[in-house]
Amino acid sequence: MTVPANGWTWRLHDPTGGVVDPDDLGVAVPVEDAQAEAESWLGEHWRELLERGAASATLVRGDTVVYGPMGLAAS
C-alpha cells in the first residue's frame, strides 16, 4: 500500500516481526489525516488484529516510522 506523505497508518507485523499485508489478514487498515485518528482506529481494532494473526503494529506517516513496533497483546 502506498501511503500519502501526510497520511497516518499502521504497518502490521507477525509474531516473528515480519511485515504482514493487511489483506492477508482480511482487514483494511485505513490511512488517516491525523495521528489521533490512526491511534483511535488501532485502539478500536487491536483485538481483531491480534485474533487474525498480527502481533505488533508500527505507526507510520508516509514512509516515516513514528513509533513502534508495539505489541498488540494485553499486558
Side-chain angles (χ1 to χ4, degrees):
M1 160 175 49
T2 302
V3 179
N6 290 324
W8 297 83
T9 194
W10 294 96
R11 186 177 300 151
L12 304 177
H13 307 276
D14 65 20
T16 68
V19 175
V20 178
D21 185 332
D23 289 340
D24 292 343
L25 302 179
V27 297
V29 179
V31 176
E32 303 288 3
D33 293 329
Q35 180 176 351
E37 292 171 352
E39 290 171 334
S40 290
W41 181 87
L42 187 68
E44 295 170 10
H45 294 91
W46 68 269
R47 287 178 185 89
E48 176 187 2
L49 296 170
L50 190 60
E51 290 170 0
R52 291 176 179 258
S56 60
T58 298
L59 182 64
V60 294
R61 184 176 189 199
D63 291 330
T64 303
V65 171
V66 178
Y67 63 81
M70 59 181 203
L72 297 176
S75 49

